[in-house]
Amino acid sequence: MIEEPLILTLELDSDSFEWLNDLRKSYFPKERNLLSAHLTLFHKLTLAQVEFMKAVLWRSPSGVVPLEFVGLRSLGGGVAVEVRAPDLVALRKTFVAAVDGDLTPQDGQGFRPHVTIQNKVTAAVARQTLATLQRDFTPRAGQGTALMVWRYLGGPWALHERLELV
């Protein structure tokens, strides 16, 4: 039986993933970068919640979720690429309502889709990174291609299941 928390992320199309993962490799402190680029929807779910979600809610008529990478955001101690994804936000809201608030405080709060490319640095380093990246940032489109369920292993994650968007 799985007891560790389950994390739900959106799988990114290969071009978006490569671009964001390259940024993450460049700017995330190497000793702390245990993961590839990812867009987290929920940080701590139970197996029952994931099974409920699979049975009831997560469907996309086109098999993909349209994404727009629209800008950069300061995280104080890091930088993220902001993502506009109305369909993804709506699907997540549906799930939050369906579980009737039975989520951690972090997962129950508002959702602002993003991909973290730098974290756990000083505010000065983060400001410098943000300024550097803003000079050449150009919005671009992408797609979410599947949902990924991960087991948290105290730092790294292990893939539990990949869920097609059908």
Side-chain angles (χ1 to χ4, degrees), residues 2-13:
I2 296 173
E3 304 218 3
E4 58 270 326
L6 297 173
I7 301 157
L8 183 69
T9 66
L10 182 69
E11 180 182 74
L12 304 169
D13 67 273

Side-chain angles (χ1 to χ4, degrees), residues 7-12 16-17 20-21 24 28 33-43 69 80-81 83 113-117 119 148 150 155 157:
I7 301 157
L8 183 69
T9 66
L10 182 69
E11 180 182 74
L12 304 169
S16 298
F17 174 78
L20 293 162
N21 204 46
R24 187 173 172 98
F28 210 98
N33 193 12
L34 304 176
L35 307 168
S36 298
H38 56 279
L39 191 162
T40 303
L41 283 84
F42 293 98
H43 298 86
F69 302 99
V81 175
V83 180
H114 66 278
V115 177
T116 301
I117 58 170
N119 205 2
M148 307 293 279
W150 303 90
W157 300 353

